[in-house]
Amino acid sequence: MSFGVSFASRLGGVLAGMLLLGCALAAGLNHLKFERMLMEQQAKVLEILAADLGNTVENSLALGVRLAGVPGAQALLERSRAAETLIGGLAIADAGGVVLFDTDRQNLGTTLPRAVFDPHGAATPWRFRDPAGYGIGAPIVNAFGQLEGAVVLRYGRAAVDEKLVAALLAMVQSGLLALAIAVPLGAALIHLVTRPTRRWFAAVEAAMQPGAAREPLAEGLQQAIAEADAVLGDAERRLEAIAATVAEHSADAQPEAVAQ
Amino acid sequence: MSPDRRLVGSVVAVAVVLLTLAVGFVSATALRSFEAELRPELEREATIVGSIGARTLQRALDLGVPFDGLTGLDEYLGSLLATREGVAYLMLTDAAGRAVAAAGEVPAEFAGLSAGTPPPGRGAVMRALGASYDAALPLHEAGALAGWLHVGIARARLDTALDDMRWDVLIVLLVVLLATAEGLRFILSRLVEQPIGMVRRLQQRLAAGDWTARAPGDLGAEAGSVARHFNVLVRRMNDRWDRLCWLAAESGAGRRAAAVQDAVRDRLRFGATSVQDALAGGGASARLPLFLFVFAEQLSTSFNPIFAMELAEGRGGVLGAALPLVAFVAAVALLTPWGGEMVARHGPRRALLLGLVPAAAGHVGAALAQDLVTLSLARAVCGAGYAIVTIACQVQLAREAPSGRVARSLGGFTAAVMTGAVCGTAIGAVLADRLGFRLTFALSALLLLGIALLAWRCMPAGGAGEEKRMGVWQGARAAFADPHFVLLVVLAAIPAKVLLGGFVFFLAPLELRELGLSQAAIGRNVMLYGLCMLPAIVVGAWIADRTGRGGSLIVVAGLLNGAGLMLPFWLPADVALPVAIVATGVAQGLAAAPMLALIPSLALRPGAPTSAAMMSFLRLAERLGSVVGPPAAAALLAAGGGVQAMLVLGLVSAATALGYALALGLGRMRREAVA
């Protein structure tokens, strides 16, 4: 038989592609899911820390100290940042968003953008994301329930990324292992299950060759060919016989015509 | 079983087994590594909660208050416990592990750390204690270990998180399997089923003496080789016939030669202008575009109300959030009959391509929408496209259904819609998270472009019902003049959708929440419906095709659904509700294909409209049921509670099923009497 890639090979290729796609989808979707859960968990932990810092400042406010004058606030922020590696930066801003204390002292006196701290929507801790990274805000409320300011905690995703890469590598490794076993196995199984159909195709093709031997798998086709062959052969014989008879008659009649 | 069907079954089995094993292996690894990464994060949370509590105590000790002189400890620990969600207990022990103060539910097997346990340089000593993780933080007095503050994080929380994760991994596995199975089905059809079918058709034509056929020359693989040999054979025979004609003309015996030629013509047909047999579209030619279309449509399901609320900027409340959904559903319901009319007028392929235009425009409109009204209008336009495309695919599936496999072929419609919905919703949530709402809409529009190319390339053209074309209203009158159709709609289609909307999508989530299940657990329970429905569709279609008793199957399904909904009377709610959801899924799956399969035969009756029109009216009725279901269930819930509401819905299902059985029986008796 002369043809390009056989359908069994094509099916094997499709199966390999499906397996690759399936493993990639599983790894990709799980990776995205992990990312979401780990980011959520990290944010949750940092929210506890931000809220705790807010509580500490609120305790000072309860003693009658103004927010801008809370003793040791700058040191508290720097200590907290040093104690928790996840924290990228800490700041305390007043109700107008002006930064009063910040682990990055360059920011002192600047005003936080509304996307980071909106005094009207800061009744409970909130999360934000800006080009600089991720952040959590915790309100600072005085003893009268009035908003005095907020603790703003910034963090990155390096720790999460580290875990994600580890998980992704594990998935990629197992995916490659699965593919290394499943693809050849699939090709072999496809070769096996397509054997009857390949035989059928071969039989059909062979049955169409002139003078083909009997092909049990293409009996109907051979019968149709034989029938047409017989009908045409019979007609050919009959027409040749007619032609021969007519030729004889013509030959007999021609000398008479010449004589006349 | 024909070789192609056996082959398709075997290849699908091989693919599903290998895919399950490979994807399962990757998912198992994912789960393991996730457990390994998440556990320390949860333990860190316990440590941080503990360190906050310990810091206050440590400050007191640093200020010179002796450990034995600390007061108000139980109140302090109690207040700390109250503010921390997920903390099971807090306990203060001395350096020898003796309890000093406690708050929360301390496990019975709790034992303090023994004297001499070295304090960690940083963080806490972690250990598993019964149903909790215990984080012990050291307290120092004058440089020496004075005691431990133990923080217990309920292990149930971690286990629940991991359980949720396992389910999520399973759902990912399911999505991957469903999506790849749909793709494989299409490829198998193009690569195996259709070429084999074509070769068989050509053989049949030869057997019938038709030597005018030609096989397409653009096929590859074995089918291509067979096609080339076939064309050579046909050409050879045609050449012999041409020679025969020449011989007859040259013989000079016109009448006798013509008689010989006529004898050949009686048995065989030859032709210089031959008809080329093309590959048939097959059911897969409509099923994959349908799956992809529903997939594209459902990408936005998870965030549609959130996006609407964002655009409404707090105005309009919950009703505002529901507006785009209402606009979409209303457009689908109202325009479905016109969709049927369009399919009858233009044929499935052209109607599908036309339907994709408003659908894509709607997605682009949603992506660009700046306010709620624009978004709602865009979603209504999407709904118009949905109404046309789904009917077009349904009609194409009916057209391509092989004799004796109508129900199975039409069952593929419901299955494709369901798998598209499951996969689209799951992937859409991920995409929206990464790309944002607008880009996800834009991606849906792009996907529709791909579907248009696929349909244009793979779906056979034609199929317009010229002879039966009638307007929507005339079509509706003709359809509803047929009592069989009316009975099917009123006693089977509408009740089924009332139950689906009322119980599965409304009542069940509320009742499950009453049982104290988490949102994730409620979602999983509701998902049972789809998981049970998919195999039930296949089984129902197979039984209907094998036995030809689709009507009886619809009755059985209605009774099963009714019985399932009455279960809370005999079983505890936590068992009865999931079983009722399973029963509903199985029942709706069993009845889905037989219901659709009845339509082509009803459309053949004198005076009936086209199959496309009848299907569109059936779907319109189903939409009506879906709309009526939730408010009906809500009214029943308000009137008598959840169990009573389920009982009434169950009785409705059983009563309509019995009514349908009675109608079928009477019809059969009348036919027998006439016979």
Side-chain angles (χ1 to χ4, degrees), chain B residues 493-516:
Chain B
I494 292 180
K497 294 299 168 188
V498 167
L499 255 64
L500 175 63
F503 173 62
V504 177
F505 297 142
F506 180 79
L507 205 53
L510 292 179
E511 290 298 297
L512 288 166
R513 177 174 278 187
E514 283 290 304
L515 291 175

Side-chain angles (χ1 to χ4, degrees), chain B residues 464-505:
Chain B
E466 293 286 339
E467 71 289 354
K468 278 186 168 185
R469 192 181 294 164
M470 45 176 90
V472 171
W473 298 113
Q474 203 184 341
R477 273 201 301 275
F480 287 98
D482 183 343
H484 292 89
F485 184 70
V486 174
L487 286 171
L488 180 70
V489 165
V490 175
L491 297 178
I494 292 180
K497 294 299 168 188
V498 167
L499 255 64
L500 175 63
F503 173 62
V504 177
F505 297 142

Side-chain angles (χ1 to χ4, degrees), chain A residues 141-148:
Chain A
V141 181
N142 66 19
F144 304 106
Q146 290 169 325
L147 184 77
E148 287 279 348

